[in-house]
Protein backbone atom coordinates (compact mmCIF):
# COMPACT_ATOMS: atom_id res chain seq x y z
CA UNK A 1 0.00 0.00 0.00
CA UNK A 2 1.15 3.54 -0.75
CA UNK A 3 2.91 5.14 2.27
CA UNK A 4 0.94 8.40 1.85
CA UNK A 5 -2.36 6.54 1.92
CA UNK A 6 -1.27 4.59 4.99
CA UNK A 7 -0.22 7.79 6.78
CA UNK A 8 -3.59 9.37 5.99
CA UNK A 9 -5.37 6.30 7.33
CA UNK A 10 -3.26 6.37 10.50
CA UNK A 11 -4.24 10.01 11.08
CA UNK A 12 -7.93 9.27 10.45
CA UNK A 13 -7.86 6.45 12.97
CA UNK A 14 -6.06 8.61 15.52
CA UNK A 15 -8.25 11.67 15.15
CA UNK A 16 -11.62 10.04 14.44
CA UNK A 17 -11.17 6.48 15.71
CA UNK A 18 -11.29 4.88 19.11
CA UNK A 19 -11.01 7.32 21.96
CA UNK A 20 -7.99 7.37 24.23
CA UNK A 21 -5.97 9.93 26.16
CA UNK A 22 -5.32 11.72 22.86
CA UNK A 23 -9.02 12.29 22.11
CA UNK A 24 -9.42 16.04 21.89
CA UNK A 25 -5.77 16.64 22.79
CA UNK A 26 -4.69 20.01 21.36
CA UNK A 27 -1.32 18.59 20.27
CA UNK A 28 -2.94 15.85 18.18
CA UNK A 29 -5.31 18.39 16.64
CA UNK A 30 -2.50 20.86 15.83
CA UNK A 31 -0.28 18.10 14.40
CA UNK A 32 -3.12 16.80 12.23
CA UNK A 33 -3.74 20.29 10.87
CA UNK A 34 -0.08 20.73 9.87
CA UNK A 35 0.48 19.59 6.27
CA UNK A 36 4.07 18.48 6.91
CA UNK A 37 3.27 16.32 9.93
CA UNK A 38 0.17 14.91 8.26
CA UNK A 39 2.47 13.18 5.74
CA UNK A 40 4.16 11.32 8.62
CA UNK A 41 2.83 8.43 10.68
CA UNK A 42 1.54 9.55 14.09
CA UNK A 43 2.16 7.35 17.12
CA UNK A 44 0.70 8.38 20.48
CA UNK A 45 2.42 6.59 23.35
CA UNK A 46 3.01 7.23 27.05
CA UNK A 47 1.73 10.82 26.91
CA UNK A 48 3.77 11.71 23.83
CA UNK A 49 3.05 12.13 20.15
CA UNK A 50 5.80 10.62 18.02
CA UNK A 51 6.20 10.70 14.25
CA UNK A 52 7.68 8.24 11.77
CA UNK A 53 8.45 8.53 8.06
CA UNK A 54 7.47 4.89 7.52
CA UNK A 55 4.70 2.68 8.73
CA UNK A 56 5.42 1.39 12.20
CA UNK A 57 5.90 -2.34 12.31
CA UNK A 58 3.72 -4.40 14.66
CA UNK A 59 4.80 -4.36 18.30
CA UNK A 60 7.47 -5.09 19.50
CA UNK A 61 9.38 -4.34 16.29
CA UNK A 62 11.48 -1.19 16.40
CA UNK A 63 10.51 1.55 13.97
CA UNK A 64 13.01 2.37 11.25
CA UNK A 65 13.41 5.99 12.28
CA UNK A 66 12.29 8.22 15.09
CA UNK A 67 11.84 11.93 14.63
CA UNK A 68 11.45 14.76 17.14
CA UNK A 69 8.35 14.29 19.28
CA UNK A 70 6.04 16.25 21.57
CA UNK A 71 5.36 15.57 25.23
CA UNK A 72 1.65 16.23 25.60
CA UNK A 73 -0.13 17.40 28.74
CA UNK A 74 1.04 21.00 28.67
CA UNK A 75 1.31 23.83 28.44
CA UNK A 76 4.15 24.10 28.34
CA UNK A 77 4.64 21.46 25.67
CA UNK A 78 8.14 20.08 25.35
CA UNK A 79 9.71 18.86 22.12
CA UNK A 80 12.59 16.38 22.29
CA UNK A 81 14.88 14.63 19.86
CA UNK A 82 14.52 10.81 19.76
CA UNK A 83 15.17 9.06 23.04
CA UNK A 84 14.86 12.29 25.02
CA UNK A 85 18.47 12.97 24.00
CA UNK A 86 18.02 16.73 23.67
CA UNK A 87 15.30 19.23 24.50
CA UNK A 88 14.51 21.05 21.26
CA UNK A 89 12.39 23.59 23.09
CA UNK A 90 9.27 24.41 25.06
CA UNK A 91 6.12 25.92 23.63
CA UNK A 92 3.20 27.66 25.26
CA UNK A 93 0.72 26.38 22.67
CA UNK A 94 0.23 23.13 20.80
CA UNK A 95 0.65 24.97 17.48
CA UNK A 96 4.04 26.30 18.62
CA UNK A 97 5.07 22.77 19.64
CA UNK A 98 4.14 21.51 16.17
CA UNK A 99 6.17 24.32 14.62
CA UNK A 100 9.19 23.27 16.71
CA UNK A 101 8.89 19.69 15.48
CA UNK A 102 8.56 20.75 11.85
CA UNK A 103 11.53 23.12 12.13
CA UNK A 104 13.72 20.38 13.61
CA UNK A 105 12.83 17.53 11.25
CA UNK A 106 15.97 16.06 9.72
CA UNK A 107 16.25 15.70 5.98
CA UNK A 108 15.51 12.18 4.75
CA UNK A 109 18.52 9.93 4.44
CA UNK A 110 19.98 9.53 0.92
CA UNK A 111 17.82 7.24 -1.13
CA UNK A 112 14.70 7.87 0.94
CA UNK A 113 11.79 9.56 -0.71
CA UNK A 114 10.13 12.50 0.93
CA UNK A 115 6.36 12.44 1.37
Amino acid sequence: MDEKIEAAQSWRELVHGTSGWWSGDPVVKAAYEDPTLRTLFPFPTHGTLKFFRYARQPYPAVPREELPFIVCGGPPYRVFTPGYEQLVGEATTAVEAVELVVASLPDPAPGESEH
Side-chain angles (χ1 to χ4, degrees), residues 22-111:
W22 58 86
S23 294
D25 189 284
V27 169
V28 172
K29 183 178 182 218
Y32 177 69
E33 291 174 356
D34 183 271
T36 299
L37 293 186
R38 207 169 41 241
T39 65
L40 303 175
F41 289 86
F43 184 65
T45 181
H46 298 93
T48 66
L49 182 58
K50 295 185 176 189
F51 307 95
F52 299 92
R53 291 190 198 276
Y54 302 100
R56 186 169 164 79
Q57 301 301 315
Y59 183 82
V62 176
R64 292 184 249 175
E65 177 188 45
E66 280 193 66
L67 301 170
F69 65 93
I70 303 169
V71 176
C72 302
Y77 301 99
R78 293 173 295 158
V79 175
F80 286 92
T81 59
Y84 290 92
E85 288 181 18
Q86 182 178 358
L87 176 66
V88 173
E90 287 190 351
T92 57
T93 69
V95 170
E96 290 172 354
V98 165
E99 290 169 353
L100 280 171
V101 169
V102 171
S104 60
L105 287 173
D107 292 331

